[in-house]
Amino acid sequence: MEKDDLTSTAKPSLGQRFSQSKFIVWCRTHKLIAIPIAVMIALLPLLGLLALRNRHHANAQWTSPIVYPSPEAYHVGNWTAALDKARIMVANMTFEEMNNVTIGISDPSTGCVGVSGGVPRLGFPGFCLQDAGQGVRDTDGVNAYASGVSVGASWNATMAYERAQFLGAEFKRKGVNVALGPVVGPIGRIATDGRTWEGFGADPYLNGILAANTITGLQESVIASVKHFVANEQETNRNPIASTNTASTSANLDDSTMHELYLWPFQDAVAAGVGCVMCSYNRINGTYACENSKTQNGLLKGELNFQGFIVSDWVAQHSGIPSADGGLDMAMPTSSFWDQNQLAKAAGGELNKTRLIDMATRIVSTWYHFGQDSPDFPAMGIGMAPDITLPHEYVDAKDPASRSSLLQQAIEGHVLVKNVNNALPLQNPRTISIFGYDAAPYAIVNPTPAFSILWTQNWQGLNYSQDNVVQIASNQPVTNAPDVYHGTLIVGGGSGSNVPAYLSSPLEAITSRAYDNGTAIWSDTSSTNPAVVRSSDTCLVFINAFASEVWDRPGLTNADSDALVMNVASKCNDTIVVIHNAGIRIVDAWIEHPNVTAVLFAHLPGQDAGRAVAQILYGDVSPSGRLPYTVAHNESDYGDLLGPCLADNSTSPQCDFSEGVNIDYRSFLARNVTPRYEFGYGLTYSSFEYTNLQVNVNCTSTDQAATGAAPVYANGTTQNGNDPSIIVGGPAALFESVGGITASIANTGSVNASEVAQLYLLIPNGNVTSSNSSIVNTRTLRGFQKVLIAPNETAQIEFPLRRKDVSRWDVVKQTWVVPAGEFEVRVGKSVLDTPLVGSFTL
C-alpha cells in the first residue's frame, strides 16, 4: 500500500533528536489542534489525486498501444476448481454486487489498510489488504523481518522461502487476506531511488528467483501481491500534482527493455502462482499504469497468462471505464470512479458486461484458490486494531519457531567489503569504543495518538520542517530530504516498513558480549567528533543511510557521517565501520584511510540487528552476504542513472529509459567504468578456489524460426485458452530445462564459511531483432548458489538453466528466441571476479 503521509525532510545535524524539534514540541503542546491537522495532511494527497481524476493519457513522443479486450480468466493449471466455484457465485450476483466486489470501502472497525467490498448474502466477505514486505504494518504482536535488500544481499533463495513462510503466517493470524508484497519494481534503475530497499537487488534474474520463493512461502498462508507493475523506478513526481496540473512521470521504454528487464521478474512471480499484482503510480509510454491496456491486458494477462486479479496502488486509479477496460480489477483504497455503481450502470453499454463479470470472477476465484473460504481462515482483520493506542484485543501473531530464522536473515544480509590484516573477527579486545548515532535505538518507539502516522511509516527518527510537510502532502518533489535515521536503522520508511516486537541494537548486543568477555566499553552515540580513549583496542563506528517511500534519496553520502568516521579514524588505529544502509552507500571519503581496517554493509536486518552484527564481529559466524547492487567511487560514476528525471517545468514529465537493459552493473560494464565494489562482491573469513567448469547445455537456436510462440491476439481476443502450450507464466517451453553448468569450489581457508557462486552469461545477439540494437551487450546474471563449505572440503555446485535464461526477446516475432552464436560463460565470486571462463555455441 502506498500513501503519502506526514513526514519531514529537513536535513538534521548528526545526533539531533526528533523530540527536540520545535515543530513537534508545538504539536505536542497543542494536541487538540495538531491531531486534526495531521489527519488533514494525511488526506491531502488523496484529495489532490482526486482533483486530477479526469487527467488520462498525456501527449508525448511515446504512445502505449491499446490492447482490448481484457483477457478473461479460464481453466489453466491448478486454477480450474477455484474458477468453477467463482463462476457459480458470480452468476448469482447482481451487477451492483459485482461492482461492489471491485472497490475498496471505508471500514472503521479494522486497521486493514484496504478493505474490499463483499457480497454477504452469498458468503463472500471481501478482502483485508495489508502492508508489507518487512512484516505486518501498523499493528502490534508481529515481528520485523529482514527487508528485501537484506534478503537480496543474502543471495539465499531457500532462506527467502523460509522467511516468507513465517511472514505469511503472521499475516494470516492477523486476519489479512492479501499481503502487499513482495517488491520487484523498482528494480534499481536509479541509484538514489527511495524504495529499492524493498526489492531484492538491481538485477531481474536475482529479483525473479527471490520473488518466486517469497511468493511460494507467503501463499502457504495468504495471497501475495507482487508490485509495482511496471517500470516504477522513482519516487519523485510519482503522483500528479494538483496545484500545477502536473501528471505523474511517464516511463518511456522499448519492447526489448520491457521484456528483458522490467517484466522479467514479474513473469517469474506469475509462474510461481502469485494471486495478485499491484499496478503502479507512474505512466508507461504516456498512459497511467492502472489503465494501461498494453501492460495489463497485453503483457500481464495476455503474454504471462496471469489468472489472478490486478489491484491499484493506493489512489493510482485515474479513470473509470478506461481503467476497467485497461485491465484493472480492484481499486484501492476507495474509488470515486466506481463507487456509485458506475460499472453496473455501464455494463452492457459503455462497458462490456463480460469485463465486469471477469473482474468479479478473478477476485472471487483467487479467494477460493487460496482456501480462504475455509471456516478455519481467521475473520477479516481480526488482529488489525483500528488504533492500537486505544483498548483492543492483543493478537500475538508471532511464532516462537521463527526466532532462529529472524536471526539468520539478519546475519546473512551483512556484506563485508574490507578487512585489512584480519581485523575481523575481533580477537578478545580488552577495550572497545563504540560511536555513531546508529549504535543505539531511537529514543521513541511509541504510537502516540497525535503522531501515530510517524510510527506507522518509520519516520520517528527523522526531523521535520513545515515546508517539507506541505511538499509531501501535495505530492511535490521533496527538497533537502533526510538521509540518516537517528537510531539503529532496521527498515526504511513508508508503507514497506513495520515496527519490531523488540529491537536488538548494536550497543546493547556488544555490551552484553562485553559482560561475558570482561571487555571495557566506552561509547558516544551523539557526537560527530568524539573523544577516543587511547587504550581502545578497537573502535566501532555505526552510521546509516536512510531511504523512504515518497522521496528519492538526496545523495549517496552524508557529510556528517563521513566526518564522524574520519574523526574517529584519526584517533584510533583500528576503526571498524558498520553501515545500516537502505541501498547504495558511497564510502570513498574514508575507505582508504589506513586506520579504517574493516567495513560492513549491514543493510536493513530487522529486529535482530544488534545480535546479528555482534555474532559477525566476534566470529561466531562468517559473513556471507554479497552486494546486490554496484557501489561506485563517486556519484558521477552512475551517469544519467544517479537520480530521478525531473519535471523541468513540464506538466507531463517524461523519463526516457534510453539505456535499455544496461542498469547498475550492466551500465558500468557497458561504459567501462570501474566501481569501488562491484555487483556480487563480498568477503568472508575464509578463502575459496574455483575449478572444474563443466558446460552441459542441450538447446537449439530458434532465431531462424518463421513464427513465434508467444500468446497473441487475434481479432481482439486472446488465444491463450486454445493453446495448451501456454501455462500460467507464459509459454511452457520457457521454463523447460536446457541443461546446466557445474563447477567445484574448495574452502582453502581455516573456518566454516558460505560462498555465493555466481553464473554470468553473455548472450549473443544472433539474428534476434531488438528494439535497442545499439545498446552495448554485456554479461548478465543467470545463476547463483550459496553453499556452506568446511575447511579443506570441496563442494559441487550446479546452475540449472531454463530456456528463458538463454533467450532474448524478438520485437518482430513478438516472442522469446534462443539466438544463434557463442555464449560466453563466467563463474565466480562477483561480476568482475570470475576465475572460470568457458563458452557454448548454439
Side-chain angles (χ1 to χ4, degrees):
M1 167 274 183
E2 335 292 326
K3 291 193 292 187
D4 296 345
D5 293 318
L6 175 65
T7 187
S8 162
T9 52
K11 187 176 181 180
S13 60
L14 200 65
Q16 186 179 9
R17 293 294 183 178
F18 179 86
S19 59
Q20 295 172 334
S21 166
K22 293 181 180 179
F23 175 57
I24 299 305
V25 171
W26 180 90
C27 290
R28 287 175 176 165
T29 306
H30 303 82
K31 288 183 178 178
L32 293 178
I33 301 173
I35 294 174
I37 290 175
V39 173
M40 179 183 68
I41 289 173
L43 292 176
L44 272 176
L46 308 187
L47 298 175
L49 293 179
L50 293 176
L52 287 172
R53 63 184 181 274
N54 292 322
R55 187 178 186 89
H56 302 158
H57 298 223
N59 293 321
Q61 177 184 354
W62 293 77
T63 302
S64 187
I66 301 298
V67 179
Y68 293 149
S70 184
E72 296 179 35
Y74 73 101
H75 291 152
V76 62
N78 60 354
W79 284 81
T80 298
L83 182 59
D84 286 343
K85 292 178 182 178
R87 284 175 172 170
I88 292 171
M89 178 182 284
V90 173
N92 286 289
M93 291 183 186
T94 65
F95 282 155
E96 288 75 15
E97 288 172 327
M98 294 181 203
N99 195 141
N100 193 53
V101 167
T102 70
I103 61 175
I105 60 174
S106 177
D107 185 352
S109 69
T110 177
C112 301
V113 77
V115 176
S116 68
V119 186
R121 73 178 184 87
L122 297 178
F124 178 63
F127 286 147
C128 165
L129 301 93
Q130 188 65 22
D131 301 317
Q134 166 94 4
V136 189
R137 188 171 76 94
D138 196 10
T139 191
D140 51 11
V142 295
N143 289 310
Y145 292 79
S147 293
V149 67
S150 283
V151 178
S154 79
W155 292 66
N156 189 335
T158 301
M159 191 187 75
Y161 166 70
E162 181 184 85
R163 166 183 175 267
Q165 284 181 301
F166 286 116
L167 182 57
E170 290 189 20
F171 276 102
K172 182 176 180 178
R173 294 186 193 106
K174 286 288 186 175
V176 174
N177 301 90
V178 182
L180 300 175
V183 168
V184 295
I187 200 173
R189 176 179 181 261
I190 65 171
T192 57
D193 187 284
R195 301 194 70 177
T196 52
W197 62 271
E198 296 183 49
F200 302 111
D203 178 83
Y205 182 89
L206 182 65
N207 269 273
I209 297 299
L210 294 177
N213 279 270
T214 297
I215 288 163
T216 301
L218 282 172
Q219 292 191 156
E220 291 178 7
S221 299
V222 293
I223 301 163
S225 178
V226 67
K227 60 186 186 181
H228 306 83
F229 191 75
V230 61
N232 172 65
E233 295 297 317
Q234 66 178 62
E235 293 298 283
T236 303
N237 287 115
R238 69 176 190 162
N239 278 324
I241 303 174
S243 60
T244 57
N245 202 32
T246 300
S248 300
T249 54
S250 177
N252 301 326
L253 65 161
D254 61 74
D255 196 26
S256 296
T257 300
M258 174 63 82
H259 283 83
E260 295 182 12
L261 180 57
Y262 298 103
L263 189 64
W264 180 289
F266 284 100
Q267 183 170 38
D268 284 339
V270 174
V274 72
C276 176
V277 175
M278 180 188 289
C279 55
S280 53
Y281 284 130
N282 55 290
R283 294 177 293 154
I284 304 153
N285 293 334
T287 302
Y288 278 105
C290 293
E291 62 189 65
N292 194 304
S293 62
K294 170 61 178 177
T295 57
Q296 295 186 132
N297 293 340
L299 298 181
L300 183 57
K301 293 179 178 179
E303 284 184 26
L304 305 191
N305 210 22
F306 174 59
Q307 297 298 306
F309 69 95
I310 300 175
V311 66
S312 74
D313 204 338
W314 267 230
V315 201
Q317 183 191 34
H318 297 289
S319 66
I321 303 304
S323 61
D325 281 335
L328 182 65
D329 300 306
M330 180 184 291
M332 278 287 153
T334 58
S335 174
S336 62
F337 302 103
W338 296 349
D339 63 352
Q340 299 298 317
N341 284 322
Q342 292 97 322
L343 297 178
K345 295 172 184 176
E350 186 181 2
L351 178 69
N352 191 316
K353 64 180 181 181
T354 59
R355 174 79 271 258
L356 178 56
I357 292 170
D358 185 62
M359 293 165 71
T361 300
R362 283 175 173 271
I363 293 166
V364 175
S365 67
T366 305
W367 180 67
Y368 277 124
H369 186 63
F370 291 98
Q372 296 187 354
D373 59 318
S374 169
D376 296 329
F377 198 89
M380 186 172 67
I382 190 172
M384 299 300 302
D387 185 345
I388 69 168
T389 67
L390 299 177
H392 64 281
E393 180 183 357
Y394 178 76
V395 175
D396 189 352
K398 304 186 305 299
D399 181 352
S402 67
R403 292 174 184 169
S404 60
S405 180
L406 282 158
L407 178 58
Q408 190 64 25
Q409 295 163 34
I411 289 171
E412 292 202 30
H414 286 69
V415 182
L416 180 66
V417 296
K418 182 177 182 180
N419 193 21
V420 177
N421 297 325
N422 297 318
L424 289 178
L426 299 175
Q427 302 297 322
N428 300 316
R430 298 165 300 171
T431 304
I432 297 176
S433 290
I434 300 175
F435 304 107
Y437 55 90
D438 184 80
Y442 179 64
I444 302 172
V445 182
N446 190 40
T448 55
F451 292 99
S452 62
I453 198 169
L454 307 182
W455 179 81
T456 63
Q457 305 286 332
N458 192 36
W459 290 339
Q460 286 181 302
L462 307 175
N463 275 52
Y464 287 163
S465 75
Q466 289 168 293
D467 287 344
N468 294 149
V469 169
V470 172
Q471 289 175 326
I472 290 166
S474 61
N475 294 315
Q476 297 177 30
V478 179
T479 57
N480 299 317
D483 53 2
V484 297
Y485 188 90
H486 298 292
T488 303
L489 182 63
I490 65 168
V491 62
S495 61
S497 66
N498 87 321
V499 179
Y502 60 84
L503 174 57
S504 171
S505 71
L507 181 60
E508 174 269 329
I510 296 168
T511 300
S512 178
R513 297 294 289 254
Y515 174 82
D516 295 332
N517 299 335
T519 306
I521 298 289
W522 302 96
S523 65
D524 181 346
T525 61
S526 62
S527 175
T528 58
N529 190 14
V532 177
V533 175
R534 294 296 178 171
S535 62
S536 300
D537 292 322
T538 296
C539 296
L540 302 175
V541 182
F542 290 88
I543 61 176
N544 63 50
F546 184 76
S548 178
E549 179 187 4
V550 180
W551 65 84
D552 292 311
R553 297 167 62 191
L556 303 177
T557 63
N558 174 264
D560 289 337
S561 301
D562 288 343
L564 169 62
V565 174
M566 288 295 288
N567 287 334
V568 173
S570 68
K571 305 167 189 174
C572 183
N573 61 10
D574 186 24
T575 299
I576 296 169
V577 183
V578 179
I579 311 171
H580 284 115
N581 56 310
I584 298 167
R585 188 14 168 119
I586 288 179
V587 295
D588 267 48
W590 42 263
I591 193 67
E592 296 290 354
H593 194 291
N595 289 345
V596 175
T597 56
V599 178
L600 275 165
F601 283 97
H603 294 106
L604 303 175
Q607 63 196 40
D608 276 330
R611 190 173 290 109
V613 77
Q615 289 207 8
I616 291 172
L617 292 174
Y618 282 90
D620 299 344
V621 294
S622 171
S624 63
R626 301 293 185 271
L627 293 176
Y629 49 74
T630 301
V631 178
H633 289 279
N634 305 290
E635 290 188 347
S636 59
D637 290 343
Y638 294 96
D640 294 338
L641 300 183
L642 172 64
C645 65
L646 304 176
D648 292 329
N649 299 317
S650 170
T651 58
S652 181
Q654 306 293 314
C655 299
D656 293 343
F657 289 21
S658 56
E659 71 285 344
V661 296
N662 287 340
I663 66 168
D664 197 76
Y665 70 90
R666 298 191 71 174
S667 173
F668 279 75
L669 288 171
R671 294 179 294 118
N672 197 28
V673 176
T674 302
R676 165 62 67 180
Y677 298 119
E678 70 270 19
F679 179 87
Y681 177 79
L683 305 173
T684 72
Y685 293 156
S686 195
S687 57
F688 298 91
E689 181 181 35
Y690 285 67
T691 59
N692 195 29
L693 177 68
Q694 298 290 324
V695 179
N696 301 290
V697 177
N698 182 19
C699 187
T700 302
S701 168
T702 60
D703 66 2
Q704 297 290 348
T707 60
V712 296
Y713 284 85
N715 299 320
T717 303
T718 178
Q719 300 300 296
N720 292 5
N722 300 323
D723 189 346
S725 69
I726 305 300
I727 61 174
V728 173
L734 281 181
F735 301 96
E736 293 174 354
S737 171
V738 294
I741 293 168
T742 61
S744 301
I745 306 177
N747 184 339
T748 57
S750 58
V751 300
N752 287 341
S754 292
E755 174 71 342
V756 178
Q758 301 159 43
L759 166 68
Y760 296 88
L761 296 182
L762 196 159
I763 302 172
N765 293 321
N767 297 304
V768 176
T769 306
S770 173
S771 53
N772 54 20
S773 57
S774 62
I775 299 295
V776 175
N777 191 16
T778 73
R779 55 186 175 272
T780 184
L781 183 70
R782 283 297 183 264
F784 62 91
Q785 184 178 348
K786 190 169 196 174
V787 57
L788 178 64
I789 310 175
N792 301 315
E793 295 292 332
T794 298
Q796 305 301 317
I797 58 168
E798 180 178 2
F799 304 105
L801 290 173
R802 308 165 297 182
R803 192 178 308 276
K804 176 184 179 185
D805 300 326
V806 295
S807 297
R808 305 196 69 170
W809 181 257
D810 191 301
V811 299
V812 172
K813 297 174 183 175
Q814 285 294 287
T815 190
W816 291 95
V817 300
V818 178
E822 184 180 61
F823 289 68
E824 180 183 274
V825 176
R826 290 179 175 266
V827 173
K829 305 176 181 181
S830 73
V831 70
L832 297 183
D833 185 0
T834 54
L836 301 183
V837 179
S839 66
F840 60 91
T841 301
L842 300 179

